[in-house]
Amino acid sequence: MPSLADAKAANAFFSPSYTPVAVFVGATSGVGQGMVEAFARYLTGRAHIIIIGRNEHAAADIIGRLPNPENEYTHEFIPCDVSVMANVRAVCKVIRDKVERVNFLVMTAAYSSMAHPAITSEGLDLHLAMRYYYRFVFIQELLPLVKKAQSLGEDAKVMSVLGAGRGSPKRPIDLDNLGNTVKPRTGTIGVSFRSMTMSSNYTDAMLAHFATRNPSIAFTHILPGAVRTTFRVDLDGFLTPLSWILNLLLPLFCVSKEVCAEHMLHALFAPDRDRGLFLCNNLGDPVSSIVFESEVELGENDETSVLNGVPMLGYGASDLGVRRIVEHSVAVTAA
Ligand SMILES: NC(=O)c1ccc[n+]([C@@H]2O[C@H](COP(=O)([O-])OP(=O)(O)OC[C@H]3O[C@@H](n4cnc5c(N)ncnc54)[C@H](OP(=O)(O)O)[C@@H]3O)[C@@H](O)[C@H]2O)c1
């Protein structure tokens, strides 16, 4: 269990012999901002950094403050509303046109409203679009560039900052309500909560899929813990006053985005986590992990928290769940 000092000390050792290309989705505020700022600081700016989000002014402000000796390195913002998968595919094409490899793909943007579940213009549950589907599409579209980095002997790492370690055999993925659009959507809190739980388990499932198919790349799902960001509890109706109280009290129990970022980067940089699947806690420690020696085709086992016959603590999917989630995701995010 690394302390903050341990994490910082380990991060300070990160000094790759090549110039990394890093894509941060959702780094104009919150945990993503903390990560991009610390990433640039440890490398003294020596990286091609791409920030994805909507807030151009915030991005310009952050980029303007990143170290960049003699403006030698490219630090850029590409606007994209990631709730729309067509936008995600378009921004990935822009990235593919700009760079030949991606060493780090870090995704933090999310939507956590308890009061406003919605369906997007593409027919997707908004929570799942913002917490899960866009991450699936980014990985799918940028995987060739991550593989290219790996083939050059460089870091090749994908990280989803969301809700790792929440899976349990008591909470299997509901394969009869894929996408949270099959069963009736009654009650805002219930629908939102269901989507948020699903998004963590779906993320485990899809990262397991990519890890089994790409055994030389590291896929990490990590829980940031309670962090002071723009996140606000927004219960509605008679529960509204509870939101006010929680929003007053919660910050007292949260860490800063800067502290969180150190732990997230500790997990990202870890030299011994260069391939496999890692489910990590808020300090960056793996709750469970698995490394595949070669490509694996998952079967039909429906035991939750078991991956290819290996029990995985906190893992929210089953082999059958992985297959069904990936088939579903391919179908609903397709052009
Ligand atoms: N904060 C916590 O206490 C906590 C606890 C548990 C889990 N988490 C998880 O950790 C991750 C990071 O949390 P966070 O609190 O830092 O998140 P956050 O503050 O909600 O994330 C904000 C970032 O997401 C981007 N974003 C939001 N909507 C977007 C959209 N439609 N298109 C593109 N970008 C969008 C924002 O950029 P723009 O405004 O520029 O669009 C901003 O950069 C999330 O997955 C969250 O669920 C957080």
Side-chain angles (χ1 to χ4, degrees):
M1 200 173 278
S3 65
L4 177 60
D6 293 339
K8 285 182 171 178
N11 293 342
F13 272 104
F14 182 65
S15 180
S17 55
Y18 63 92
T19 303
V21 179
V23 178
F24 291 89
V25 185
T28 55
S29 71
V31 175
Q33 179 185 354
M35 287 185 76
V36 83
E37 289 175 346
F39 183 90
R41 194 179 66 248
Y42 282 117
L43 289 168
T44 52
R46 189 174 56 81
H48 185 156
I49 294 174
I50 300 174
I51 295 177
I52 312 286
R54 295 166 303 173
N55 190 332
E56 196 170 348
H57 293 296
D61 187 45
I62 292 164
I63 287 171
R65 285 184 283 104
L66 299 182
N68 193 350
E70 295 170 27
N71 284 328
E72 196 182 335
Y73 298 98
T74 306
H75 301 158
E76 58 184 323
F77 172 66
I78 310 179
C80 179
D81 178 345
V82 301
S83 65
V84 178
M85 299 311 121
N87 295 348
V88 177
R89 283 191 299 275
V91 84
C92 287
K93 179 170 185 331
V94 172
I95 294 171
R96 288 197 302 268
D97 289 344
K98 281 176 182 281
V99 294
E100 291 185 341
R101 64 192 161 84
V102 169
N103 299 99
F104 299 99
L105 170 59
V106 178
M107 294 164 287
T108 58
Y111 177 70
S112 307
S113 169
M114 294 301 278
H116 302 288
I119 299 292
T120 69
S121 56
E122 296 176 322
L124 303 176
D125 173 280
L126 177 60
H127 283 85
L128 282 172
M130 279 298 306
R131 297 170 68 89
Y132 166 70
Y133 293 121
Y134 89 78
R135 299 175 199 231
F136 176 80
V137 177
F138 260 106
I139 298 176
Q140 206 182 32
E141 296 279 319
L142 296 185
L143 196 54
L145 277 63
V146 181
K147 283 169 133 173
K148 173 74 178 176
Q150 193 278 330
S151 73
L152 296 170
E154 301 175 355
D155 289 291
K157 297 183 171 182
V158 175
M159 174 175 272
S160 175
V161 182
L162 185 71
R166 299 281 179 82
S168 155
K170 291 182 192 151
R171 293 186 293 275
I173 292 173
D174 183 354
L175 298 179
D176 295 325
N177 191 22
L178 291 176
N180 203 11
T181 50
V182 182
K183 291 187 175 169
R185 293 170 62 85
T186 41
T188 54
I189 294 180
V191 173
S192 304
F193 186 74
R194 220 159 57 195
S195 292
M196 296 214 270
T197 310
M198 282 176 167
S199 65
S200 297
N201 293 345
Y202 284 23
T203 298
D204 282 353
M206 70 103 163
L207 291 183
H209 163 75
F210 285 116
T212 55
R213 298 300 175 90
N214 303 277
S216 304
I217 293 173
F219 295 90
T220 300
H221 181 191
I222 191 163
L223 176 77
V227 190
R228 274 187 299 280
T229 64
T230 56
F231 169 74
R232 293 289 171 274
V233 180
D234 66 342
L235 302 165
D236 67 352
F238 72 95
L239 290 174
T240 304
L242 183 60
S243 305
W244 301 336
I245 297 168
L246 288 174
N247 286 324
L248 273 178
L249 294 180
L250 275 180
L252 304 176
F253 301 96
C254 291
V255 299
S256 68
K257 62 182 186 305
E258 289 78 15
V259 166
C260 174
E262 295 291 349
H263 291 297
M264 302 296 102
L265 288 185
H266 186 211
L268 186 68
F269 291 160
D272 57 340
R273 294 185 216 164
D274 57 347
R275 64 201 181 95
L277 173 67
F278 302 89
L279 308 182
C280 296
N281 65 19
N282 58 319
L283 296 179
D285 279 333
V287 175
S288 57
S289 63
I290 188 166
V291 170
F292 299 99
E293 294 308 326
S294 55
E295 270 192 54
V296 168
E297 178 82 31
L298 293 176
E300 301 276 323
N301 184 3
D302 66 356
E303 280 177 276
T304 300
S305 300
V306 177
L307 175 55
N308 197 39
V310 179
M312 299 268 292
L313 191 65
Y315 171 65
S318 64
D319 292 357
L320 178 65
V322 170
R323 292 172 78 106
R324 296 286 304 280
I325 292 296
V326 171
E327 283 164 13
H328 162 81
S329 306
V330 168
V332 302
T333 63

